[in-house]
Amino acid sequence: MTDAVGSIDTPDAQDEVTESKKKPRKGGKRAKKGPLKRLALFYRQIIAELRKVVWPSRNQLTSYTTVVIFFVAIMIALVTVIDYGLNHAAKYVFG
C-alpha cells in the first residue's frame, strides 16, 4: 500500500524545493550595530524597565523587613533545636 500524495507522513516535493531556496539570515538587526551601540541600547532598556517597577513605600519596606527578620529568627531557633536533639540522640546511640 502506498501513501497518498501530500499525506502527513511524506512531505510534498514542492515543500522541499521552497525550503531549500530560502536565504539564510545574517544576524538580523543586531549585526548592523556595533558593540557600543548594543551596550547603550541594553542600558537604556534596563532604565526603561526600572521605571516600570512599583517600589514599596517606607512603611511597606519596614513591615516586609520585620517579617523576614522574624521568620529567619524562627528558622534559626528551629534548626538549633533539631541540631541539639540529633546531637543528644547520636551521643545516646553511639555512647
Side-chain angles (χ1 to χ4, degrees):
M1 198 162 161
T2 62
D3 287 336
V5 175
S7 70
I8 296 173
D9 296 334
T10 57
D12 292 340
Q14 294 173 351
D15 292 340
E16 292 174 5
V17 172
T18 56
E19 289 177 6
S20 64
K21 289 183 180 180
K22 291 181 182 178
K23 294 181 182 179
R25 294 179 62 188
K26 292 188 176 182
K29 295 179 181 177
R30 199 183 319 177
K32 296 177 184 176
K33 297 180 182 177
L36 291 178
K37 288 186 179 182
R38 287 192 312 227
L39 189 63
L41 175 65
F42 177 69
Y43 284 119
R44 281 196 307 269
Q45 289 174 346
I46 288 174
I47 291 169
E49 287 298 320
L50 284 175
R51 286 184 181 144
K52 296 177 186 177
V53 173
V54 179
W55 298 99
S57 67
R58 182 172 292 275
N59 290 336
Q60 290 174 331
L61 189 63
T62 305
S63 65
Y64 295 159
T65 304
T66 305
V67 168
V68 168
I69 290 173
F70 184 69
F71 178 75
V72 168
I74 289 175
M75 293 307 295
I76 289 171
L78 181 66
V79 169
T80 302
V81 168
I82 291 172
D83 184 48
Y84 183 75
L86 288 175
N87 186 16
H88 280 288
K91 283 183 182 179
Y92 177 76
V93 170
F94 298 113

